[in-house]
Amino acid sequence: MKKNMKKMLMASMTALAIGVIAAGCGANADSGLAEDAANPSSVEPVVSISDSYDNTEELAAIFPIINPTPIDTEMGKNIQNRLLNGFENWNRGYDAWETWGDILYTEDSLYNVHGVKLTLKEYQDSMNATLQSSDIQMGNFNNMIISGDWAAIRYDISTTNRQSKKTSDGSVMEFVNFKDYGDKLGTRVVEGWAGTKGADFAGLTSFQTDDAKAAQQAALDAIVNATIPDTTDLEAKYPVTNPTPIENDMAKKIQNAILNDFENWNQGFDAWTVGADAYYDSNLKYHTNDETMTLAEYKASVKNTAESTDVKRIRFDNMLISGDWAAIHYRITNQDTKTGEKTAGDVMQFLHFAKDGDSVKVIECWTK
């Protein structure tokens, strides 16, 4: 790998770390490890990995889920187990992670790191380069929201620069689509999204082929040129590309609150700030990468940004709701109010709701 690419990777190390858990999400019900244990004469694997559907309780004690929500389907339990095994294998080092990644993925699996779509090989190459300079350890799951064959996770990481020995702590958001491939392959990742399109986007595209770059640019152009439907049906106006079940009364109230917040936002700052009093609790804690704001501070921040940039919320990639939590990944356009230049972006949020009479309000929010 060229020196300038290595420098780019080192600079965006934390950004790339966002994707590491997905390579720990896979499964293999027939890994051979159990057989090796039962047959001492067999050749033991060179790399020791954690690969069992029976160790969920054990690993959950090591990597606790701080804000648990219901996981009540067999698929959901398999996904939970794969995520926990992923953390365990990641913390064993790159070789264990790579071996586990080969169990997790199929040849067609994809991972989007900060908006850049990578093949398994491209993703592994990027992580290998990153981990040459940094040691990244997984901590707690703050959230693990599982619905259908999707998972949304928010978790802690600790990153140590191998040269300076300086350690920094951070948090990561991911949305991951799984598929049950049956007894031979087990539950594996189809595609994942780690983090949102950021300053490192151009550098990360260096891993892509020209065809992949062109396809990705076409997808961004489609968002930039998208027209929001003129309808009062908010579910049709702001569609979810990857819908998951929204069945109980609490989930429907959360969905309705989120959709109305989208609608108010797109009507302009004045409409949004009035609607914000209904959407957010007066004691709101609004977390970004840089700070935690009160409701008043968040309103002031939005007003300040609105003076230079017109942001429109276009559609959802995901809306996962479980218990009193929601995780959403959505597409936006940003238009410079002076130059008129328009670009596409995306946002990830984890939202904690509480009942408020016949409705719900957001009491805490994490945004990237």
Side-chain angles (χ1 to χ4, degrees):
M1 187 173 292
K2 295 180 180 180
K3 289 184 178 180
N4 61 341
M5 178 58 65
K6 288 186 177 179
K7 288 180 180 178
M8 179 278 293
L9 286 168
M10 291 173 68
S12 61
M13 173 273 303
T14 301
L16 282 170
I18 272 180
V20 296
I21 179 58
C25 304
N28 181 7
D30 187 20
S31 68
L33 294 182
E35 181 181 347
D36 290 341
N39 182 9
S41 64
S42 64
V43 178
E44 294 187 5
V46 175
V47 179
S48 174
I49 64 169
S50 173
D51 180 19
S52 170
Y53 281 103
D54 300 324
N55 60 356
T56 298
E57 186 175 348
E58 173 189 346
L59 293 181
I62 301 172
F63 305 106
I65 303 170
I66 306 302
N67 300 292
T69 52
I71 301 174
D72 50 16
T73 66
E74 194 63 28
M75 181 66 170
K77 292 175 182 177
N78 286 346
I79 291 172
Q80 177 192 30
N81 176 270
R82 301 298 82 183
L83 292 167
L84 290 167
N85 272 291
F87 267 43
E88 174 66 16
N89 287 318
W90 176 264
N91 285 353
R92 295 186 184 195
Y94 177 80
D95 289 342
W97 172 80
E98 183 181 38
T99 301
W100 178 246
D102 290 337
I103 293 170
L104 157 70
Y105 287 102
T106 68
E107 291 183 357
D108 297 327
S109 297
L110 299 168
Y111 221 82
N112 300 266
V113 180
H114 279 200
V116 179
K117 191 183 295 290
L118 302 175
T119 64
L120 173 59
K121 179 63 167 58
E122 291 166 345
Y123 177 55
Q124 288 177 327
D125 285 347
S126 71
M127 291 315 306
N128 187 27
T130 297
L131 293 176
Q132 306 248 339
S133 61
S134 301
D135 175 41
I136 303 170
Q137 292 290 295
M138 302 302 182
N140 296 331
F141 283 98
N142 293 301
N143 298 97
M144 184 188 293
I145 301 174
I146 298 174
S147 183
D149 54 6
W150 280 87
I153 52 179
R154 183 173 66 91
Y155 58 91
D156 297 328
I157 61 170
S158 178
T159 303
T160 301
N161 184 292
R162 295 188 186 279
Q163 186 172 7
S164 69
K165 306 303 181 183
K166 183 179 179 180
T167 298
S168 59
D169 296 326
S171 66
V172 174
M173 295 180 185
E174 294 190 42
F175 288 75
V176 190
N177 182 214
F178 291 83
K179 180 178 178 180
D180 182 359
Y181 286 92
D183 291 341
K184 185 176 181 180
L185 297 179
T187 302
R188 297 189 175 214
V189 168
V190 177
E191 189 167 1
W193 286 258
T196 56
K197 182 171 177 275
D200 56 349
F201 179 82
L204 287 168
T205 60
S206 300
F207 287 101
Q208 296 178 303
T209 64
D210 289 341
D211 287 345
K213 290 179 186 178
Q216 182 164 263
Q217 187 58 54
L220 291 172
D221 291 342
I223 296 171
V224 167
N225 297 315
T227 300
I228 299 174
D230 184 13
T231 175
T232 57
D233 181 349
L234 297 187
E235 290 186 53
K237 193 169 188 175
Y238 305 109
V240 181
T241 303
N242 304 293
T244 49
I246 298 176
E247 299 172 333
N248 60 47
D249 185 58
M250 183 68 170
K252 291 175 182 177
K253 288 179 178 179
I254 290 174
Q255 177 194 34
N256 183 64
I258 292 171
L259 290 172
N260 275 285
D261 181 56
F262 263 52
E263 178 69 359
N264 290 331
W265 180 280
N266 283 345
Q267 299 310 309
F269 176 75
D270 290 341
W272 174 79
T273 194
V274 172
D277 290 328
Y279 185 58
Y280 294 107
D281 185 78
S282 59
N283 294 315
L284 171 73
K285 294 180 180 178
Y286 192 95
H287 307 279
T288 68
N289 288 333
D290 302 319
E291 60 184 327
T292 296
M293 294 179 280
T294 64
L295 179 55
E297 290 168 338
Y298 177 46
K299 285 181 178 180
S301 173
V302 172
K303 182 178 181 180
N304 182 58
T305 301
E307 293 175 356
S308 60
T309 309
D310 181 22
V311 178
K312 287 290 188 288
R313 298 178 177 180
I314 307 300
R315 62 168 173 79
F316 295 92
D317 279 22
N318 305 93
M319 183 189 296
L320 276 67
I321 300 174
S322 182
D324 53 7
W325 283 87
I328 56 177
H329 182 199
Y330 58 92
R331 300 290 159 168
I332 61 172
T333 58
N334 300 276
Q335 186 168 23
D336 189 297
T337 57
K338 291 183 179 180
T339 67
E341 181 184 5
K342 200 173 185 181
T343 57
D346 60 320
V347 178
M348 291 181 177
Q349 287 186 327
F350 280 72
L351 303 158
H352 192 194
F353 289 83
K355 290 183 178 180
D356 182 59
D358 292 331
S359 187
V360 293
K361 283 190 173 185
V362 177
I363 56 177
E364 199 161 7
C365 173
W366 291 259
T367 296
K368 288 188 181 293

